[in-house]
Amino acid sequence: MRTEPVLLINSFEVPVGEDRAFIRGWERARDVLRTQPGYVSATLHRSITPDAEFRFVNVALWESPEDFRAATSRPKFRDAASPYRFHAGLYQVVTTDESPKADAPAGAGRHG
């Protein structure tokens, strides 16, 4: 039985001034994970508020929880993992909403 894809949402505590080091580390870990079965995609987000508790948030799509767990248990990943404190969880999409404007043709609704 195949499960639905899951989202990894991983928030990181990164001190101000350590962005470059963190991003390099995230890229190393991502480069390992992207070669693993079940990896689909990853997006790294940075807070626009410098004093945010979680300045970086990674959102990654995996084909299954089992694929994610297998990939992150490999020594190669553990060697590349970020030294920054993180808060990770796997999630399923419950519902999705888009603005009605998303379906409107370009220029629709503009007056001027």
Side-chain angles (χ1 to χ4, degrees):
M1 179 169 105
R2 193 75 182 146
T3 62
E4 291 292 315
V6 294
L7 285 172
L8 164 69
I9 300 178
N10 197 358
S11 303
F12 293 90
E13 296 178 29
V14 179
V16 173
E18 295 188 28
D19 292 16
R20 281 189 184 177
F22 170 76
I23 292 169
R24 280 193 304 269
W26 181 87
E27 288 172 339
R28 277 192 305 276
R30 187 256 349 255
D31 289 347
V32 169
L33 292 174
R34 71 182 346 166
T35 66
Q36 301 303 306
Y39 174 90
V40 177
S41 65
T43 306
L44 183 63
H45 306 265
R46 179 175 29 213
S47 173
I48 60 173
T49 307
D51 60 347
E53 181 177 0
F54 305 120
R55 296 190 51 248
F56 288 89
V57 175
N58 174 51
V59 179
L61 184 62
W62 284 84
E63 289 182 8
S64 73
E66 295 79 18
D67 288 333
F68 171 75
R69 290 183 189 111
T72 56
S73 69
R74 290 186 169 84
K76 190 174 182 180
F77 171 74
R78 287 195 306 266
D79 292 344
S82 172
Y84 295 92
R85 185 175 168 96
F86 64 90
H87 308 268
L90 294 176
Y91 297 84
Q92 294 177 319
V93 174
V94 175
T95 186
T96 302
D97 183 47
E98 291 184 16
S99 168
K101 297 176 188 174
D103 294 329
R110 291 188 196 158
H111 302 283

